[in-house]
Amino acid sequence: MLYPLPAVMVSVADGQGRPNIFTVAWTGTVCSNPPMVSISVRPERYSYHCIEETGEFVINLTTEKLALAADFCGVKSGREVDKFEAMGLTAAPSVEVRPPQIGESPVSLECRVEQTVPLGSHTMFVARVVSVSVDERWLDGTGRFHLEQAKPVVYSHGTYYGLGEAIGTFGYSVAKKRTKKRQK
């Protein structure tokens, strides 16, 4: 069991353009060049058929402020409720795909399915990221993105968690120690 996992809200649209949101914890990056991601979805899910029909979806990162909506979108069916309306979320237009982004999300990854892999209880959709939108509130003056300030959440065995303090950056285990220069 690989936990914790990101808890993301995936937005889709059916063939008529009706949007829906569902929550996915089985997601991840699978390639950097070209940028590719995957999500695994049960075929019984309402949104599964939207992806199957259109070949498109948007992965919207979830924050502590969006945790309640993420939970709601994971337990309610789009067959029964308009989740954008019920949760007061903004269906923002996407740049390259038909499904909308969630306007309140700090990062939205627009995706086009390139491969569908039936695996058993879930089907994995492997998709190319065709556009990325970032909420500029989380960019500093140099253009560096600070997702940690948006307070992302993860999911582990039925529970949502915020992230803790940073403990290092890539390469810190082998970085040379800085020595203080002595003043003469």
Side-chain angles (χ1 to χ4, degrees):
M1 304 295 281
L2 295 175
Y3 282 99
L5 303 164
V8 299
M9 292 189 287
V10 176
S11 45
V12 297
D14 65 16
Q16 289 72 47
R18 287 185 299 256
N20 188 45
I21 307 167
F22 69 114
T23 303
V24 173
W26 292 357
T27 184
T29 300
V30 295
C31 188
S32 59
N33 188 16
M36 306 277 289
V37 294
S38 71
I39 60 172
S40 291
V41 184
R42 288 183 179 272
E44 305 86 52
R45 299 285 300 259
Y46 172 74
S47 294
Y48 175 92
H49 302 288
C50 295
I51 297 170
E52 193 174 48
E53 186 177 2
T54 67
E56 298 178 335
F57 58 88
V58 180
I59 295 175
N60 302 276
L61 298 190
T62 305
T63 63
E64 289 180 10
K65 287 184 178 180
L66 291 171
L68 183 69
D71 185 66
F72 182 88
C73 292
V75 297
K76 290 292 189 176
S77 173
R79 289 183 188 97
E80 303 161 1
V81 63
D82 178 337
K83 297 177 196 176
F84 277 100
E85 183 179 319
M87 292 281 81
L89 298 172
T90 306
S94 290
V95 176
E96 296 287 333
V97 299
R98 289 169 287 194
Q101 300 177 14
I102 298 172
E104 292 75 13
S105 177
V107 177
S108 297
L109 307 173
E110 298 179 27
C111 305
R112 283 205 181 98
V113 175
E114 294 211 349
Q115 188 176 8
T116 302
V117 184
L119 298 170
S121 64
H122 289 70
T123 296
M124 181 173 55
F125 294 102
V126 179
R128 181 182 299 255
V129 177
V130 295
S131 184
V132 177
S133 297
V134 176
D135 186 330
E136 292 184 4
R137 288 182 294 166
W138 311 117
L139 297 175
D140 67 18
T142 67
R144 185 171 181 267
F145 180 62
H146 292 277
L147 181 60
E148 74 282 358
Q149 292 175 2
K151 299 185 177 181
V153 296
V154 294
Y155 180 82
S156 181
H157 299 283
T159 303
Y160 300 94
Y161 294 94
L163 298 181
E165 299 275 327
I167 58 172
T169 58
F170 181 75
Y172 84 104
S173 64
V174 295
K176 293 183 180 180
K177 304 276 189 230
R178 289 186 170 172
T179 57
K180 291 183 181 182
K181 292 185 178 182
R182 290 187 174 178
Q183 292 184 355
K184 294 182 181 182

